[in-house]
Amino acid sequence: MANIIVTGGAGFIGANFVHHWRKVSPDDSIIVLDALTYAGNRANLNGLDSVELVVGDICNTDLVTRLLREREVATIVHFAAESHVDRSITGPDAFVTTNVIGTHSLLKAARSVWLDEGSGRPHRFHHVSTDEVYGSLGPEDPAFSENTPYAPNSPYSASKAGSDHLVRAYHHTYGLETTTSNCSNNYGPYQFPEKLIPLFLINALNGRNLTIYGDGLNVRDWLHVEDHCRGIELVLRKGRPGETYNIGGGQELPNLTVIEEICRAVDAAFAADPNLAQRYPNAPAAKGRPSTDLKTFVTDRKGHDRRYAIDETKIRSELGYEPARNFPRGFAKTLAWYLTNEGWWKPLIKRGA
């Protein structure tokens, strides 16, 4: 039995990881530390046994130190972050505070309890980051590897790059046992409906415009969140301290292709289940029209990176990682979840998500 803190564990990826960890390590004591900002949701943890939610800010170093010491925690899995690029463009201060200062607060607490107090307890600080720290790729450029130079282009990615460097520094300077993973675009259950897939899916159900930046050909590597969680588990169990591992889904797709798959799948769902037309009468599919009628192209956003792609050779060869889902399979499961869990996302829409 081990004691583990999951920061941001009431958010999208963090909550999925908590569900995953409870399945694979049922005897572990899990403490979720989450400030429950707009993207954090208590309901994401429903149905989980023996998971304690501590509502608090990772910038509160005293709180983190107390939790580590009193609960004898030996593992931190750090998801807590501001992560929406559009929000970072209009309000970058919160991103620096949470992603840089917050991460440093956690590192200070971990160093204090695990190293300075001399407990000698084996420990691990795992930091969850993004492929956006590497910048943008051209059409023929090789995919991002762990050796790709950092070149962040948005306040969000710059703040995550800063936090990555701090984690690295605490390992090399103080000997803190750290690992970092840089992931590609996640999708799946519990994703707050500001990100592309849940936003466009819900908009298609409600007959709202599918607003596409630029030409829609910006390319992303799509990773189902459950595959991501399995990758993190492998890093925690077998990853070498001080190392970084890129976790990808192996599904490099233009945004426009993803949007068209959303439209196709929604139309197919309505054709298969006539009850959906009653539940979502404003959807084009409820009126016999294609969901693609909702596509609307607008001016590209500032600093919009053209292409991301992940070279996951290292985690495959060293740790045995392999994504289990291609995009059509992963999205079909995601669509089914959102259609089944309207009670989860509808309140978020009502409050202006």
Side-chain angles (χ1 to χ4, degrees):
M1 178 176 175
N3 299 331
I4 179 173
I5 285 179
V6 181
T7 74
F12 163 45
I13 307 177
N16 276 281
F17 177 80
V18 173
H19 282 269
H20 175 80
W21 198 258
R22 174 51 71 228
K23 291 177 185 175
V24 299
S25 297
D27 296 328
D28 283 3
S29 174
I30 303 175
I31 302 164
V32 169
L33 176 60
D34 200 298
L36 293 183
T37 57
Y38 77 94
N41 191 339
R42 293 175 184 268
N44 294 356
L45 302 173
N46 287 349
L48 289 170
D49 296 328
S50 305
V51 172
E52 178 184 0
L53 173 61
V54 175
V55 180
D57 192 334
I58 59 173
C59 292
N60 186 341
T61 310
D62 290 341
L63 169 63
V64 179
T65 302
R66 187 167 66 252
L67 288 172
L68 291 175
R69 183 184 297 123
E70 293 178 357
R71 310 299 176 85
E72 298 184 340
V73 171
T75 302
I76 295 174
V77 187
H78 176 34
F79 293 93
E82 296 284 347
S83 65
H84 194 237
V85 174
D86 285 358
R87 288 179 185 265
S88 82
I89 292 170
T90 58
D93 288 6
F95 288 74
V96 175
T97 298
T98 299
N99 298 350
V100 180
I101 298 174
T103 299
H104 190 220
S105 169
L106 294 170
L107 289 165
K108 288 191 295 181
R111 177 193 171 195
S112 173
V113 175
W114 292 340
L115 300 180
D116 294 348
E117 293 179 7
S119 68
R121 182 182 300 126
H123 62 267
R124 175 63 62 88
F125 185 110
H126 181 71
H127 175 57
V128 180
S129 190
T130 172
D131 58 359
E132 295 192 38
V133 298
Y134 299 121
S136 183
L137 293 170
E140 305 301 324
D141 289 339
F144 299 134
S145 76
E146 292 80 2
N147 296 319
T148 301
Y150 276 31
N153 290 321
S154 70
Y156 160 59
S157 56
S159 66
K160 289 299 290 184
S163 63
D164 292 6
H165 292 319
L166 283 169
V167 173
R168 174 184 171 85
Y170 264 69
H171 172 73
H172 287 277
T173 301
Y174 303 113
L176 198 68
E177 300 273 308
T178 68
T179 43
T180 295
S181 56
N182 294 82
C183 69
S184 55
N185 278 36
N186 279 226
Y187 67 100
Y190 303 112
Q191 188 167 28
F192 191 80
E194 66 181 359
K195 299 298 178 76
L196 189 152
I197 286 179
L199 176 63
F200 279 48
L201 169 56
I202 292 168
N203 282 357
L205 293 175
N206 289 286
R208 299 172 181 164
N209 284 343
L210 306 181
T211 304
I212 302 166
Y213 287 125
D215 59 9
L217 298 181
N218 301 73
V219 173
R220 301 293 181 262
D221 178 355
W222 292 93
L223 169 65
H224 193 279
V225 67
E226 293 176 11
D227 284 331
H228 186 194
C229 292
R230 289 192 305 104
I232 293 171
E233 179 194 353
L234 287 169
V235 176
L236 286 169
R237 298 192 190 281
K238 301 195 294 184
R240 291 177 288 138
E243 292 295 314
T244 294
Y245 296 89
N246 284 351
I247 304 176
Q251 301 292 292
E252 195 177 334
L253 299 169
N255 288 343
L256 196 56
T257 299
V258 172
I259 293 163
E260 289 171 349
E261 174 63 19
I262 293 171
C263 293
R264 186 207 61 77
V266 167
D267 293 349
F270 274 74
D273 182 0
N275 292 325
L276 289 177
Q278 297 177 4
R279 290 170 58 189
Y280 305 106
N282 295 323
K287 305 165 188 175
R289 302 197 334 261
S291 297
T292 51
D293 285 356
L294 298 172
K295 291 195 299 183
T296 303
F297 291 85
V298 299
T299 302
D300 208 356
R301 76 181 181 202
K302 298 177 181 178
H304 198 182
D305 291 336
R306 192 62 173 173
R307 173 177 167 247
Y308 304 147
I310 285 283
D311 178 350
E312 59 199 30
T313 301
K314 181 176 179 179
I315 193 171
R316 282 177 180 264
S317 61
E318 290 191 12
L319 308 184
Y321 168 78
E322 185 173 356
R325 298 162 185 82
N326 60 22
F327 186 79
R329 179 185 172 200
F331 179 71
K333 185 175 181 180
T334 301
L335 172 61
W337 188 90
Y338 277 89
L339 290 175
T340 303
N341 291 276
E342 182 185 83
W344 178 86
W345 57 259
K346 212 160 193 178
L348 303 180
I349 299 300
K350 288 180 178 178
R351 74 181 193 220

